[in-house]
Every structure is written in C-alpha cells, then in structure tokens.
Amino acid sequence: MLLAGDTVETPCPVVPKDSPLEAWIAELRRWAADTRVRTVVPAHGPIGGREILEENVTYLEGILSGRPIDPRGPLTSFYRATHEQNLQWKAGASN
C-alpha cells in the first residue's frame, strides 16, 4: 500500500508554480514500477491501484510539455479551478 499524500490526487494534482515536475514525474514512475505497490491512497480522491500513478504522470507530463490534457471525469469547482491554475505552471516556473 502506498500512502501517497499530496503527491497523488484524483482527478488531478495541485501543481504549485515552483514544483520540480521532472523529479515529481520520476518518483511517480518509480512507484508505479514497484510491484509491491498494489493499492494507492491519494491525498484526495478514491483509493485505487497503480493506474492512479500513471494517470498523474500523464497529467503532469502534459503540463510539463505545454500540451496539457483535461483531467478525467467530472470536475468539482475546486478541481476545475485547480486545472486552470495548473495550466499556468510553465509561466510561473520561469519567474
């Protein structure tokens, strides 16, 4: 079981402007490759398996590459606003 804390969220993580996305993605990939990890408990969202880690990697890679994807599923107003703020990460990272 992985107690992921704020490192993993569904439907999308909160990405502070100073986040080291490359390191964050690398750690998520490391956890996803660890066969001991069968259950992932995110900070927010339902408990699931390693697929949650892969979904977060895909989302963060989109933010990093400047080709963001929309989070899966219906979004609450909080996560809609979070996604909009996350889209500004690249601009904030260079300041």
Side-chain angles (χ1 to χ4, degrees), residues 55-70:
E55 290 168 2
N56 274 242
V57 165
T58 300
Y59 181 83
L60 292 172
E61 285 177 333
I63 297 295
L64 182 63
S65 71
R67 295 184 308 273
I69 61 164
D70 288 333

Side-chain angles (χ1 to χ4, degrees), residues 2 4-6 8-10 40-48 52:
L2 174 65
D6 284 337
V8 177
E9 291 187 59
T10 57
V40 177
V41 181
H44 305 280
I47 295 170
I52 296 172

Side-chain angles (χ1 to χ4, degrees), residues 79-95:
Y79 280 108
R80 191 175 343 276
T82 295
H83 177 60
E84 291 299 320
Q85 289 174 340
N86 290 348
L87 296 177
Q88 303 304 312
W89 176 83
K90 200 88 161 159
S94 63
N95 291 335

